[in-house]
Amino acid sequence: MLTESFVASILSPEKAASNAISKDAGIHLYDYRPLPALRSSFKKSSTGPNCLAVTTSHVFAAQADKAVVHVYNRDRGNQEAVVPFPEKICSVAYTGDLDGAGVLLLGTEGGRIILWELCTGRQVSTPQSHLQPATCLAGDPTSNFLLSGSSDSNIHVWSIPALLSFSIHSAHDSTQPSPYSPLRTLSNHRAAITALVLGHSHSTVNIAVSGSQDNTCIVWDYQTGSLLHTFLLPSAPLCLAIDPADRAVYAGFEDGSIQLVDFYKQSSLTHALYDPALRSTPTQPPPSDRWLLPSEASSSVLSLDVSYDGTALLSGHQNGIIQTWDIAKGRYNKQLTDFSSPATNLLILPPTGFPNTHVPNLKVHNVVKPRYESSLQGSNAASTGNMAPENYTFVAQFTSTLPLAQFSPKGSSNQPLSDFQATLTHPSFPLSLLEEGIAELSTFSAPKSSSTLTRPLDGNTDDKDPELANLHLEIHNLRAQVNHAQAVQIASTERALKLSDELARRNAEEKVKKMAKKKRRLRRMRVEEVKRKRYMGEKLGSGDEEMEEGKAEGEGEEESLSSSTDELTPSD
């Protein structure tokens, strides 16, 4: 059975309401299909809009008006770490695979962008790129581009590989562009950016949609910097959510209503967004595409997200209520739950329960706290060159062995492993590889016979026939290979003989030790028997008298043997 869930975070008021689910709970994991139910909650968190990121293993929540990020472990169900930063964090996003071995993106109050590699702890910070706080962040599906929106009305497009690259040019090198500068700036808005979402395409063509307080919603081709279309909205959008098939975008307003912006509403011979004739003319969505809440339930929409199949829309409101909307019917559906505090963030998770679900190759048990690498900034970058730092360590668990299907010949899935595959998948080094290497090293000191390696077959080096010369060359190469194989065989045989001799010697020593210990135990038993007979007044036999006479000598032997059980004595 498929199960769809979402994660919602709230902005905790000074005094929590008495009917709240949990007075100190700030993040909730909630199932809404097939049966609505609260699965778990994380405590001690208060997040503003755009300040929540979720992976399969962790939840990251930037605290409102604070310079800290709370890290929660989903597997253990508790708070894992509290990570401080130099500035207040105004936005958070995650880029990379959902297994958690990616990069956390953070926008600061000072207009900087921070990139935190979760499995290495490496932290890279850009210079101040925005004049005001970076309030919106989004990473594209390929993890190659990062978009940052700010209250200064600008949107910057960054290259994530360039920001994380170790090939950092010196700050004094004016001939090279700075990797800490954005690739381009999208600056058609005239007021603060309130929301920013990206399409789902992994190709070289993808869209970004931005909402602003200037009551506009603009669709961009962020990889080229082109403005594709402008939509005029009835009021400023507070949040955006894009359709799973990139067919439309949904905007939430302060009065609690939802505006559908359909990209295919306009008639065009080609894709409406890419029609040059329609780019210069802004479009106003029809009033019929605006969905209203019941008057008694109206409250500002703070967060939005669309279900996996694109049939349902979930909205988080200022009064803490999570509402559902029927996209097919274009209207309000029902109230899902009430968190009694502003639902500032809402993220729908991928559904679970599919058959033959792909298991991630990596498992992140704990994130590595960030450490700022100042050596990669400025003039000190030249000293590191293109190399990773010595303490650059990736911490994660491989959940499966390396895939070997790509090495198998086509149509032969059950073929035996080749030497290369066996070496690649061995825990250390195969024994055959070590023996071959030792044998090859031993041949370096052996004298080489010039008669077998350099002299032709018939002794004539002045052959004018090129085919005959090629045959001679092949013969020389084959002789060299045979000589090498013989040397390897001889070295392996000698090593096997040495190991056999060593094993026989150790077996003989062990046998002598066992016999000596057995003899010593029997002598002790005889001595104890003589003592018992003397104590009981029994008559001693001839053997007992001989044992009494050799007692002193036996004690010396026992002392010699007991001093070291690994060394043989003359008595043994």
Side-chain angles (χ1 to χ4, degrees):
M1 179 183 297
L2 293 182
T3 302
E4 291 189 79
S5 309
F6 67 87
V7 177
S9 66
I10 62 174
L11 180 64
S12 300
E14 295 182 359
K15 294 183 179 180
S18 59
N19 61 340
I21 293 180
S22 179
K23 294 185 179 181
D24 57 351
I27 300 175
H28 307 280
L29 177 59
Y30 201 94
D31 293 340
Y32 79 100
R33 286 180 180 176
L35 297 176
L38 179 66
R39 186 190 302 179
S40 60
S41 297
F42 298 104
K43 301 180 179 181
K44 299 179 180 179
S45 179
S46 177
T47 59
N50 304 321
C51 289
L52 184 71
V54 182
T55 67
T56 55
S57 58
H58 289 83
V59 176
F60 304 89
Q63 301 305 294
D65 299 325
K66 294 182 180 180
V68 296
V69 172
H70 288 186
V71 181
Y72 299 91
N73 194 300
R74 293 180 60 184
D75 295 332
R76 294 193 293 265
N78 60 3
Q79 186 179 40
E80 181 177 307
V82 177
V83 182
F85 288 91
E87 305 179 62
K88 292 181 181 179
I89 305 300
C90 300
S91 56
V92 172
Y94 174 81
T95 182
D97 294 335
L98 289 179
D99 56 14
V103 179
L104 190 68
L105 313 172
L106 305 104
T108 69
E109 186 180 36
R112 294 178 175 83
I113 309 300
I114 298 176
L115 291 85
W116 170 18
E117 293 183 356
L118 299 177
C119 290
T120 66
R122 183 182 177 216
Q123 174 186 325
V124 177
S125 177
T126 69
Q128 183 179 5
S129 55
H130 290 287
L131 300 179
Q132 295 185 32
T135 55
C136 305
L137 290 176
D140 82 329
T142 64
S143 300
N144 288 325
F145 295 97
L146 158 65
L147 274 68
S148 61
S150 170
S151 300
D152 62 5
S153 76
N154 290 328
I155 299 173
H156 291 330
V157 181
W158 308 80
S159 171
I160 296 179
L163 292 174
L164 296 177
S165 174
F166 291 107
S167 304
I168 302 301
H169 303 291
S170 172
H172 302 287
D173 187 0
S174 59
T175 61
Q176 299 288 344
S178 173
Y180 293 117
S181 59
L183 297 177
R184 59 188 61 90
T185 300
L186 313 178
S187 56
N188 286 67
H189 285 293
R190 295 295 178 264
I193 307 298
T194 57
L196 184 63
V197 292
L198 269 64
H200 302 84
S201 174
H202 286 74
S203 66
T204 56
V205 179
N206 197 11
I207 61 172
V209 185
S210 59
S212 171
Q213 290 183 357
D214 59 6
N215 297 359
T216 62
C217 179
I218 299 180
V219 183
W220 310 86
D221 182 352
Y222 61 87
Q223 299 189 22
T224 62
S226 303
L227 186 152
L228 299 180
H229 203 78
T230 301
F231 295 92
L232 304 179
L233 302 179
S235 60
L238 301 183
C239 53
L240 296 175
I242 195 167
D243 181 79
D246 299 345
R247 301 169 299 180
V249 70
Y250 305 90
F253 299 121
E254 189 174 1
D255 61 355
S257 62
I258 303 293
Q259 178 68 62
L260 166 63
V261 180
D262 192 346
F263 299 151
Y264 291 88
K265 200 77 170 181
Q266 303 180 81
S267 59
S268 176
L269 297 178
T270 61
H271 195 300
L273 292 178
Y274 294 92
D275 191 346
L278 301 176
R279 291 187 181 183
S280 59
T281 305
T283 303
Q284 185 172 3
S288 58
D289 287 343
R290 188 172 183 180
W291 310 335
L292 303 177
L293 279 173
S295 57
E296 66 275 6
S298 61
S299 179
S300 299
V301 182
L302 301 182
S303 53
L304 281 175
D305 207 354
V306 187
S307 64
Y308 174 79
D309 55 4
T311 61
L313 179 69
L314 271 63
S315 60
H317 294 258
Q318 179 71 31
N319 58 6
I321 296 178
I322 304 297
Q323 308 280 12
T324 62
W325 306 76
D326 191 325
I327 293 180
K329 297 180 179 180
R331 66 184 184 185
Y332 167 75
N333 186 12
K334 62 179 181 180
Q335 175 180 325
L336 189 61
T337 186
D338 184 3
F339 294 132
S340 301
S341 294
T344 51
N345 296 275
L346 191 152
L347 300 175
I348 296 181
L349 304 178
T352 58
F354 285 109
N356 302 325
T357 304
H358 171 69
V359 178
N361 293 327
L362 289 177
K363 175 68 175 178
V364 180
H365 295 281
N366 296 283
V367 299
V368 181
K369 289 188 177 181
R371 55 180 182 275
Y372 181 69
E373 295 181 355
S374 59
S375 60
L376 298 180
Q377 305 281 350
S379 59
N380 293 331
S383 60
T384 60
N386 299 335
M387 298 183 298
E390 295 180 356
N391 59 346
Y392 188 77
T393 305
F394 187 89
V395 181
Q397 177 190 2
F398 286 99
T399 58
S400 61
T401 58
L402 293 175
L404 297 177
Q406 55 182 327
F407 299 114
S408 301
K410 293 183 178 180
S412 57
S413 58
N414 296 325
Q415 293 293 330
L417 296 181
S418 64
D419 293 341
F420 174 74
Q421 297 172 12
T423 304
L424 182 63
T425 58
H426 198 275
S428 56
F429 294 98
L431 183 60
S432 59
L433 181 64
L434 294 176
E435 292 179 349
E436 182 180 355
I438 294 173
E440 187 173 354
L441 290 175
S442 64
T443 60
F444 290 159
S445 59
K448 296 182 180 180
S449 175
S450 59
S451 61
T452 59
L453 296 178
T454 61
R455 185 180 301 171
L457 183 63
D458 56 357
N460 183 14
T461 58
D462 297 330
D463 296 315
K464 297 183 180 180
D465 189 355
E467 294 184 1
L468 186 59
N470 292 335
L471 290 175
H472 289 167
L473 182 59
E474 291 183 12
I475 293 174
H476 299 161
N477 294 336
L478 290 174
R479 284 179 175 174
Q481 294 178 10
V482 170
N483 292 336
H484 175 70
Q486 290 177 349
V488 172
Q489 183 179 7
I490 293 173
S492 300
T493 303
E494 292 178 352
R495 184 166 179 269
L497 292 176
K498 290 181 180 179
L499 292 176
S500 179
D501 294 341
E502 179 68 17
L503 181 60
R505 185 185 65 82
R506 292 186 178 180
N507 290 337
E509 291 182 355
E510 188 68 22
K511 185 176 181 181
V512 172
K513 288 182 180 180
K514 290 182 178 179
M515 293 298 295
K517 291 180 180 179
K518 183 176 181 180
K519 179 181 177 182
R520 184 175 57 192
R521 286 196 296 269
L522 292 174
R523 183 184 296 116
R524 287 179 177 174
M525 293 173 62
R526 294 284 299 276
V527 171
E528 292 296 330
E529 181 65 18
V530 172
K531 290 182 179 179
R532 187 191 66 81
K533 289 182 178 181
R534 286 186 178 279
Y535 180 77
M536 299 297 295
E538 297 179 3
K539 183 179 180 180
L540 299 178
S542 59
D544 296 335
E545 294 177 355
E546 293 176 359
M547 177 60 65
E548 187 72 9
E549 293 175 358
K551 179 179 178 181
E553 181 181 356
E555 291 178 353
E557 292 179 4
E558 292 177 3
E559 182 179 357
S560 177
L561 282 172
S562 61
S563 62
S564 176
T565 59
D566 295 332
E567 296 179 2
L568 298 178
T569 61
S571 63
D572 296 330

